[in-house]
Amino acid sequence: QVQLSESGGGSVEAGGRLTLSCALSGYNSGNSCLGWFRQAPGKEREGVTAIDSDGSTRYVDSVKGRFTLSKDDAKNGLYLRMESLKPEDTGMYYCAATIGHCSTVCRGGDCYAAYFENWGQGTQVTVSS
């Protein structure tokens, strides 16, 4: 059973930075697409970034150049470094996992939440102006 647990959220001012972590267990590190999604109040959950087993990453346009996704399979960890944060980055951030290649569940940097079977409980990120 795949389990995910996020940490690292918080409140920062615009322009600040945060690093989110996701602890994983029970996943297939050699054949998984791991992603971060976020959901603002009243809005649908949206894909932010994803990484394949080979370490290749993809990002939604709104975070390119500001967010960096990485993983450490030895530590079963997924990390999202967020810089130059904007108020519109505010939301609950979730890590998620699915079996297979990210190209099957994402179109470019846009990944589809419905295709990810396993989710963490989320961590809140609040960016004030």
Side-chain angles (χ1 to χ4, degrees):
Q1 181 180 0
V2 179
Q3 293 185 322
L4 305 95
S5 180
E6 304 91 339
S7 61
S11 296
V12 297
E13 293 184 350
R17 61 181 62 177
L18 284 172
T19 297
L20 306 183
S21 298
C22 177
L24 303 109
S25 64
Y27 77 109
N28 183 344
S29 63
N31 187 32
S32 291
C33 175
L34 306 175
W36 283 95
F37 292 77
R38 64 187 179 190
Q39 188 167 18
K43 294 188 176 181
E44 293 186 355
R45 191 170 298 188
E46 65 168 349
V48 176
T49 178
I51 188 168
D52 272 302
S53 296
D54 65 0
S56 58
T57 55
R58 57 186 69 215
Y59 301 89
V60 69
D61 286 346
S62 61
V63 307
K64 283 181 179 177
R66 301 189 298 120
F67 289 14
T68 304
L69 179 63
S70 62
K71 68 186 180 87
D72 186 333
D73 291 331
K75 296 183 178 180
N76 292 331
L78 182 68
Y79 311 101
L80 180 62
R81 180 171 177 80
M82 306 184 294
E83 299 179 332
S84 301
L85 282 162
K86 303 176 181 180
E88 51 264 43
D89 294 318
T90 293
M92 186 69 78
Y93 281 68
Y94 301 88
C95 60
T98 188
I99 294 175
H101 199 278
C102 291
S103 62
T104 65
V105 295
C106 307
R107 178 170 293 179
D110 293 318
C111 298
Y112 303 109
Y115 293 109
F116 286 75
E117 301 92 356
N118 304 288
W119 293 84
Q121 80 287 352
T123 186
Q124 178 68 36
V125 172
T126 302
V127 184
S128 59
S129 57

